[in-house]
Amino acid sequence: MIALRTLCPLLVVAGLALIPAFTSANTTLNFLVFALIVALSAQGWNILAGYGGQFSFGHAAFFGLGAYGTALAQARFGINPWVAFAAGIGLAALAGTVIGYLSFRAGLRGSYFTLVTLAFAEVFRILFNAASFTGGAAGVLVKLDVRPENFQFASRSVFYWVVLGIVALVLLLTMRLERSRFGAWLIAIRENEAAAKALGVDVLMVKLQAIALSAAITGAAGGLYVQYFLYLDANIGFGPWISVETLMAAIIGGAGTALGPVLGALALHGLGQLTKGIAGGTPGIDLVLFGALLILAVAFMRDGIIGRLRRLLVWGRR
Amino acid sequence: MLSPDIILAAVLNGLMNGAIYALIALGLTLVYGVLHIINFAHGATLTAAMFVVFIAFTVFGIDPFVMIPAMALGFFGVGYALQRFVVGPAAQGSDNNVLLITLGLSIMIENGLLAVFHSDTRSIDVPYGFSSFDLGFTFLSVPKVAGFGVSLAVALVLWVILIRTDTGKAIRAVARERMGAELAGIDVEHIFAVTFGLGAATVAIAACLLMPTFYVSPRIGNAFVLVAFTIVVLGGMGSIPGAVTGALIVGIIESVSGLFLDESLGQLGIFILFILVLLLRPTGLFGART
Amino acid sequence: MTKLINRRTLLAGSTMVATTVAMPGILRAAEPPTVKVGVIQPVTGALAYDGQQGQIGAEAAIKAINDAGGIKSLGGAKIEMVFGDARSTPEGGTAEVERMAAAEVSAIVGGFASPICLAASQAASRYDLPYLVDVGVADSIITRGLKNTFRFGPGFGIVAQTGLDNLVKINDAAGKPAKTVVIVHEDGLFGAGLAKLLQAELPKRGFEILDTIAHPTPSRDMSNVALQIKAKNPDLVIPSSYYGEMVLLMRTLQQQHIKPKGIYCILNGAASNFRFVKEFPDAAQYLMDCNHWHDPRKPVAEALRKTVEASGKFWTYNIPMNYSSMVILADAIERAGSTDRLKIIEALNSSTFAGHIMPYGPTKFVGGQNQGAAPVNTQVQAGDIKVIYPTDFADAKVVYPYPA
C-alpha cells in the first residue's frame, strides 16, 4: 500500500508531463494549464484545511496577493518576473501568517474561521479595487514580452511544464509532510485540537506554519495565473470564484490526501468541458448539468476521488 | 457638512433595508444553528423566489404582498424536500459534502434560471411602487415601510414558533444536543428538513418584500448573502433575536457609512466590522458559547 | 449598383448550379467551402445579458451576409459561426480562443467586456488570428501594440471627450443653466475610469464638482446615493452605472422627488435601454446619454431593430456594434480573397468599409483603432430613445433644462 501511495503520484505526474509529446493542440494545453493552476491553489488549501482541518473560504486572499505581488513588482518596480513571482509568494505567505495570527489567537475555529477568511478576501478585493497603486478597477497588465527570462514562453508546452513542475514539487512536499512530525501534529490538531494541545503540541505555531505554507502555495497559483493571462483585476484576484474552485477541487479529489487536489481539479475541469460539450446552445444548461453532476459525485464519493479509489482497492483485495 | 435631516433619513433607510436583511439572515442563522452547516444555496433560493414573485405579478397580476402566505408555504415545502431528499442523503453526514452540495445546488438554480429567463434584469411596476409618506425632511417609500413591518412580524412569528410549539421545541433540542434529541425520540432528519424549510420560507417572504422596489436577475441573490453572513456572525450564529438586531445594526451602519465614506468603501465598513466581531467576540451579540 | 446586380446574378447562378448538381445527390461536394468565424460573448455569468445581446447582432450579420451570397471572392463561401461562451471571465475568453484557433477560424469577433477582450485578443495574437473587439472600451486594448487586434467602436478616451464636448454644447445652447455637478459611478473599470476623467476635465469647462459617489455592482440599495444628491442639490447629475443600479437610482430619485435640471450620462447601462424606458417611462423621461448607438439614417439598422423587437427582444447598442463588426470583417475577407489570417489582418488595415450600421463613416483603422468611431447623444423622450446629437442625424431636439 505504501509503495502504491508513492507510485500513484509519480505515475500521474509522469503521465501529465508526457501529454505535450502526444498532442500539440493548444486547446488541450490551455485547458491543462488552467486546471493545474487551480490544482496548485487547491494543494495550498489542502495543507491548511485537508490536513489541518482549518476550513478556509477565503483562499482568494492568497491567490490574489500572489498574483498582485507578481504583477505589481514587474509593472511598478520593473523587477524581473521570476523574482516578482517569488515576491508574490512571499507576500501571500506573509498575509497568511498575519491573518492566521489574528484569527487563531482569537480562537476562531470551524465555521467562524471559515467566515473570517471569507471576510478578509472581500476586504482585499474592495481595497485593491479602489487603490490607485494597484491599478484600481482597471487592473494591471503585464507587458507582453515573450522571453524565458521574462517568465513568458512562446510555446504553451513550456509554460505547462513549468506549472506541472511546481505542482509536482508541492506534491512531493505534501507527501513528505504526511510522514513528518509537523504533518502528524497538523493531523492531530484536525482530529482533536484539545488533545493535541494536551500532548504538548504548540497548536498556534503549527497552525501558523500551516497557513503560511498554504498561503504561499496558493499565492504561487495566483502568480502563475497572472504570468499566463498577463491581466489581473481585483475580481479575478480576490473574487469568490477562486476560493470556490480551490476548495471544490480539493474536496472532490479528496481533502487530506496528497494527490486529491490535483485529481479533483482535473476532474472538475474535465467535467466542465464535458457538460459544455453535451449541453449545446442554451446558455446555462451546461452549468446546470455541472451542478447536478457535482452533487451526484459528492453523493457517491464521500471522501472524494481518492477515498473512492482506496475503497475500491481495499474491496478488490478482500 | 451633512445636515442632521440627511443623517436621520439615512438611518431610517438603513433600518428598512436592515429589516429585509434580517429575513434573509434568519434563514441562514436557523439552518446554521440546527444543522451546523452554512447553506451556500441560500442566495440562489432567494433569486428563485424573486423570479416566482415576478412571474406571479406579470403573468397573473398577483401583488407581491398578497403572495406572501403562498410563497412561504410553497418554499417551506421546497426547502423541506431539498434537505430530506437531496442534501441530507447526498451529504452522508459530512459537513464538507454539505458545502459542496449546497454549492452545486446554487450553480444549478442560478444557471437554470439563466437558461429559462435569460440574463435580463427584470423588475415589476406595482401601483404603489412610487408612493411615499412625506415626513417633511424625507420621503419614506410605502412598500419599504410595509416590508419593514412584515419582516419584523415574520421574525416574531418564527420566534414564537420556536418557543411555543412542539416542533419549535424539538428544533431547539436538536440544535442544542443532537444525540440527546435522537434518544428522546425526536425524528432528527424530519427536524433538519423542517429547519431547512423554514429557512427557505423566510427567504421567500424576503423575495416578496424586495420585488416592489428592487429587481431580479439570475445572480442577484448573492448580493444579499454576504451581508447576511455578516449579520449572522454579528448576531451570534443560530440566534434569532441576534439576527434581527444584527441586521438592523448592519443596515444603519451600511447606510450611514455610505454617506461619509461613499458607497463602495462603505461596504468595507461592513466587512471590517465583521472581522472585528469575529476576532473580539466570535459568539456575536446574542450567541452563547457552545 | 453594378455590385448589386452582380450579387443578384451570382446568387441566382449559384442556386441554379446547386439545384442541378443536387439532382445526382452530390450536393455536399459542390457546395462552396465555408469560412469559419469565431464569435466570443459572455453569455453566462455576470455579463450574460450583454453577451446574449451581442450574439444576436453577430448572428443577424452572418445571416444577412450568407443570404446575400456569402463571400463572393471565395466562390460564395458561407460564413460559419463558431460560437464561444466566455463565461464572463478572461480565462473563459482565452479558452474559447484556443478552441477556435484549433477549429481553424479565420478571425474572431466580440468579447464585450474589457478584461475579456484584453485576454482573448492576446491569446489570439499567438496565432496571428485577427480579433475584432466589439465593445470593450478600455484604451489599453489598443495601446498594447498587438497587430491582430482591431476595435471598431470608440475607446474610453474618445467617448469621454465627446461626451464632455457635447455636454458643454448642450448646456451653452440652453443658456448655461448648469454650473454644479454630482458624479455617480460604479466602482469597476468603466465607472471609476470615467469618474477620474470627469474630475479632471469638468472644472476646465466651467463646472463645479460638488461630490463624486462610487457604488459597487451589484448594489442592494441606491437610496443613500439619492440622499447625497439631495443634500448637495446639484444642477446636473452625471451617473455611470450598469443597468440594475441605474434603474434603482432613477426610481429612488423619482420616489424622493429629487429633480435636478438635467441627468447626463456617459456610457450608461440603462439610459439607452428600451427595457428601462418601457417599464418605467416616468423615471426614464428626459434622461440624456452619450453612448454607442446605431445610425438611425441607415435603413438596414432600422430594419434590424424592427426584426429584433418583433422577436420580443429589446434593442441595445450591443446588437448594431456586433452586426457592424461582423460585416466589416466579412468585407475584409472578401477583399483578402482568402481565409489566410495575415491577409485578413492586412485587409482590415486597409479597410474603408462604410456599409456598417453605426454613425462612424468609412472605416479606417490606425493602430487597430477605428478612427471615425464616436458615440452619439440620446435622450429618452415620451417612451422612445431619440438621437439628439450630432445634429446632422438627430431625430429629436434636446429637452434641457428639464421642464419643471
Side-chain angles (χ1 to χ4, degrees):
Chain A
M1 196 66 190
I2 286 175
L4 199 64
R5 263 194 183 181
T6 342
L7 201 65
C8 275
L10 269 177
L11 283 175
V12 170
V13 171
L16 285 171
L18 285 177
I19 288 178
F22 293 107
T23 173
S24 56
N26 278 347
T27 325
T28 315
L29 291 180
N30 179 65
F31 162 77
L32 285 173
V33 167
F34 189 57
L36 284 183
I37 289 175
V38 171
L40 185 63
S41 181
Q43 283 179 305
W45 184 89
N46 190 35
I47 304 272
L48 182 67
Y51 291 99
Q54 310 302 313
F55 218 90
S56 156
F57 207 95
H59 260 51
F62 310 133
F63 184 88
L65 284 172
Y68 265 104
T70 308
L72 290 176
Q74 297 173 62
R76 296 277 178 276
F77 305 115
I79 293 172
N80 174 280
W82 290 95
V83 182
F85 179 54
I89 295 174
L91 189 66
L94 181 72
T97 317
V98 172
I99 292 174
Y101 183 75
L102 289 174
S103 18
F104 295 139
R105 243 184 60 116
L108 293 186
R109 279 190 245 162
S111 309
Y112 291 98
F113 179 71
T114 306
L115 288 173
V116 86
T117 51
L118 176 73
F120 272 113
E122 277 296 296
V123 166
F124 278 121
R125 188 180 64 78
I126 296 170
L127 282 179
F128 275 64
N129 190 50
S132 59
F133 176 75
T134 61
V140 221
L141 273 173
V142 173
K143 207 166 169 295
L144 180 72
D145 186 355
V146 183
R147 279 180 299 164
E149 63 266 36
N150 265 345
F151 209 151
Q152 293 182 29
F153 308 99
S155 144
R156 293 265 196 227
S157 328
V158 179
F159 197 92
Y160 169 70
W161 278 319
V162 171
V163 179
L164 183 63
I166 297 175
V167 167
L169 207 69
V170 175
L171 197 56
L172 272 178
L173 187 82
T174 316
M175 282 156 60
R176 283 202 60 154
L177 181 133
E178 276 181 348
R179 284 179 222 143
S180 71
R181 201 155 46 151
F182 173 70
W185 287 339
L186 200 54
I187 292 169
I189 291 173
R190 175 185 73 192
E191 296 303 324
N192 190 336
E193 190 171 325
K197 204 168 201 161
L199 288 172
V201 176
D202 184 348
V203 171
L204 180 63
M205 199 56 191
V206 171
K207 279 188 185 173
L208 279 183
Q209 284 167 344
I211 197 174
L213 182 62
S214 172
I217 296 169
T218 300
L224 289 173
Y225 179 97
V226 81
Q227 278 313 117
Y228 189 71
F229 293 103
L230 303 181
Y231 173 74
L232 181 67
D233 67 25
N235 285 320
I236 299 170
F238 298 107
W241 73 275
I242 185 66
S243 295
V244 171
E245 290 248 346
T246 295
L247 64 90
M248 278 213 296
I251 298 174
I252 283 285
T257 63
L259 198 53
V262 182
L263 291 187
L266 290 172
L268 214 57
H269 282 248
L271 199 65
Q273 290 297 315
L274 188 76
T275 55
K276 216 171 170 175
I278 23 187
T282 314
I285 290 291
D286 59 328
L287 291 169
V288 172
L289 208 59
F290 175 80
L293 288 176
L294 180 68
I295 294 174
L296 285 177
V298 173
F300 291 105
M301 293 187 298
R302 189 169 181 277
D303 298 310
I305 298 172
I306 296 278
R308 183 87 242 177
L309 289 177
R310 278 202 190 133
R311 252 174 290 147
L312 280 178
L313 278 173
V314 172
W315 187 78
R317 282 186 194 175
R318 260 185 213 163
Chain B
M1 226 13 249
L2 292 169
S3 70
D5 281 2
I6 296 290
I7 295 176
L8 190 59
V11 169
L12 285 177
N13 186 50
L15 278 174
M16 287 184 294
N17 288 340
I20 308 282
Y21 299 167
L23 268 189
I24 299 164
L26 274 179
L28 212 53
T29 205
L30 198 62
V31 170
Y32 181 82
V34 179
L35 283 83
H36 299 288
I37 56 161
I38 298 172
N39 175 14
F40 280 99
H42 207 61
T45 315
L46 175 65
T47 316
M50 287 167 85
F51 268 110
V52 176
V53 176
F54 170 80
I55 293 289
F57 182 82
T58 45
V59 180
F60 305 104
I62 309 174
D63 186 89
F65 281 94
V66 177
M67 282 289 286
I68 290 176
M71 286 293 290
L73 274 177
F75 270 76
F76 176 83
V78 171
Y80 186 95
L82 270 182
Q83 165 63 26
R84 191 95 209 213
F85 304 115
V86 180
V87 181
Q92 306 166 41
S94 150
D95 285 359
N96 282 0
N97 288 350
V98 172
L99 189 124
L100 285 186
I101 290 161
T102 51
L103 271 177
L105 273 178
S106 82
I107 294 173
M108 282 180 72
I109 297 172
E110 257 177 27
N111 289 287
L113 292 171
L114 177 70
V116 177
F117 294 99
H118 303 288
S119 46
D120 309 23
T121 302
R122 294 162 195 268
S123 32
I124 57 176
D125 193 8
V126 291
Y128 49 85
F130 291 100
S131 36
S132 50
F133 300 115
D134 188 353
L135 299 188
F137 61 95
T138 188
F139 296 91
L140 279 187
S141 153
V142 171
K144 282 194 167 184
V145 174
F148 180 81
V150 171
S151 185
L152 294 191
V154 169
L156 198 69
V157 168
L158 197 62
W159 179 238
V160 170
I161 288 178
L162 283 181
I163 296 292
R164 294 289 158 128
T165 66
D166 287 343
T167 313
K169 284 175 187 159
I171 289 176
R172 285 188 300 139
V174 173
R176 190 155 302 167
E177 185 52 67
R178 189 198 152 155
M179 295 286 270
E182 209 155 13
L183 289 174
I186 293 174
D187 179 354
V188 172
E189 289 305 321
H190 170 70
I191 292 300
F192 277 179
V194 167
T195 313
F196 217 86
L198 285 175
T202 52
V203 150
I205 298 171
C208 299
L209 305 183
L210 273 172
M211 274 315 281
T213 54
F214 205 64
Y215 60 88
V216 58
S217 66
R219 294 161 50 88
I220 198 63
N222 295 322
F224 290 90
V225 171
L226 268 181
V227 78
F229 276 134
T230 320
I231 290 159
V232 168
V233 167
L234 187 64
M237 294 207 237
S239 161
I240 287 178
V244 175
T245 325
L248 297 180
I249 294 175
V250 164
I252 294 172
I253 290 180
E254 180 183 63
S255 192
V256 175
S257 69
L259 275 191
F260 290 98
L261 286 172
D262 100 20
E263 287 300 302
S264 292
L265 291 175
Q267 295 297 308
L268 200 60
I270 298 177
F271 288 109
I272 288 174
L273 173 81
F274 179 71
I275 291 172
L276 285 180
V277 170
L278 274 174
L279 295 182
L280 301 177
R281 194 182 153 76
T283 51
L285 300 175
F286 290 79
R289 217 173 249 286
T290 42
Chain C
M1 209 53 208
T2 44
K3 232 180 195 171
L4 199 73
I5 291 163
N6 280 345
R7 187 179 294 171
R8 288 255 167 85
T9 36
L10 206 109
L11 189 68
S14 62
T15 6
M16 245 158 65
V17 173
T19 33
T20 42
V21 178
M23 303 290 262
I26 45 164
L27 174 70
R28 226 161 256 196
E31 246 179 21
T34 58
V35 180
K36 287 184 181 171
V37 172
V39 173
I40 292 183
Q41 288 292 337
V43 294
T44 58
L47 306 169
Y49 183 69
D50 281 294
Q52 293 177 5
Q53 293 291 104
Q55 189 183 353
I56 295 174
E59 280 174 351
I62 292 173
K63 187 174 179 301
I65 295 158
N66 287 345
D67 287 352
I71 308 289
K72 275 152 233 89
S73 63
L74 293 172
K78 298 274 193 277
I79 291 186
E80 182 191 338
M81 177 174 78
V82 178
F83 186 78
D85 173 12
R87 294 193 168 176
S88 303
T89 63
E91 64 273 6
T94 305
E96 288 306 324
V97 170
E98 295 293 351
R99 192 173 66 81
M100 289 171 180
E104 295 185 331
V105 300
S106 298
I108 297 176
V109 174
F112 178 66
S114 296
I116 299 174
C117 295
L118 283 166
S121 57
Q122 188 157 283
S125 75
R126 286 174 170 271
Y127 307 102
D128 295 321
L129 192 51
Y131 191 103
L132 217 68
V133 170
D134 58 339
V135 177
V137 287
D139 288 325
S140 51
I141 292 175
I142 287 306
T143 54
R144 290 170 301 169
L146 295 181
K147 296 272 180 291
N148 70 320
T149 307
F150 297 87
R151 178 167 59 201
F152 170 66
F156 209 77
I158 300 170
V159 177
Q161 211 61 37
T162 317
L164 280 163
D165 289 347
N166 291 352
L167 171 63
V168 172
K169 282 177 198 155
I170 290 168
N171 196 41
D172 285 357
K176 300 197 182 185
K179 291 185 181 59
T180 55
V181 177
V182 164
I183 301 169
V184 177
H185 68 92
E186 65 91 32
D187 60 5
L189 169 65
F190 123 81
L194 194 62
K196 214 158 121 191
L197 263 167
L198 289 175
Q199 280 172 324
E201 293 292 324
L202 278 174
K204 287 186 206 157
R205 295 165 204 244
F207 292 98
E208 184 194 349
I209 301 174
L210 299 179
D211 203 357
T212 304
I213 309 165
H215 67 81
T217 308
S219 275
R220 290 178 294 268
D221 184 26
M222 293 295 276
S223 304
N224 252 316
V225 177
L227 283 175
Q228 279 165 282
I229 293 174
K230 191 179 185 182
K232 297 281 157 52
N233 195 24
D235 299 326
L236 201 64
V237 176
I238 304 188
S240 307
S241 312
Y242 289 109
Y243 183 82
E245 286 67 32
M246 184 62 189
V247 173
L248 275 186
L249 176 65
M250 294 308 291
R251 288 170 73 184
T252 316
L253 288 183
Q254 187 191 347
Q255 186 255 327
Q256 289 287 327
H257 305 272
I258 301 168
K259 291 192 182 100
K261 288 177 189 155
I263 298 176
Y264 186 89
C265 315
I266 297 178
L267 284 180
N268 189 281
S272 317
N273 187 315
F274 276 106
R275 174 181 291 279
F276 178 44
V277 176
K278 293 277 181 304
E279 288 182 353
F280 299 101
D282 292 341
Q285 177 76 319
Y286 299 135
L287 204 49
M288 293 178 279
D289 193 13
C290 180
N291 212 328
H292 314 294
W293 200 249
H294 70 276
D295 190 338
R297 293 165 300 184
K298 294 183 175 164
V300 179
E302 289 298 325
L304 178 61
R305 180 175 152 184
K306 286 214 175 63
T307 321
V308 170
E309 285 174 346
S311 72
K313 299 271 192 335
F314 284 101
W315 177 256
T316 62
Y317 65 76
N318 313 64
I319 300 173
M321 299 218 23
N322 275 281
Y323 184 96
S324 300
S325 302
M326 188 57 79
V327 290
I328 284 180
L329 177 66
D331 166 73
I333 298 174
E334 181 75 70
R335 284 182 295 108
S338 157
T339 54
D340 182 79
R341 291 165 178 179
L342 289 174
K343 285 199 179 126
I344 296 174
I345 290 179
E346 216 171 282
L348 279 170
N349 272 321
S350 63
S351 180
T352 54
F353 186 69
H356 56 75
I357 57 175
M358 298 297 284
Y360 299 166
T363 309
K364 181 171 183 268
F365 288 111
V366 173
Q369 174 61 45
N370 180 18
Q371 297 301 299
V376 306
N377 280 67
T378 60
Q379 185 171 37
V380 180
Q381 293 182 0
D384 199 0
I385 297 172
K386 298 289 193 187
V387 174
I388 52 167
Y389 220 88
T391 34
D392 46 328
F393 61 93
D395 52 7
K397 272 203 160 35
V398 62
V399 180
Y400 172 81
Y402 293 179

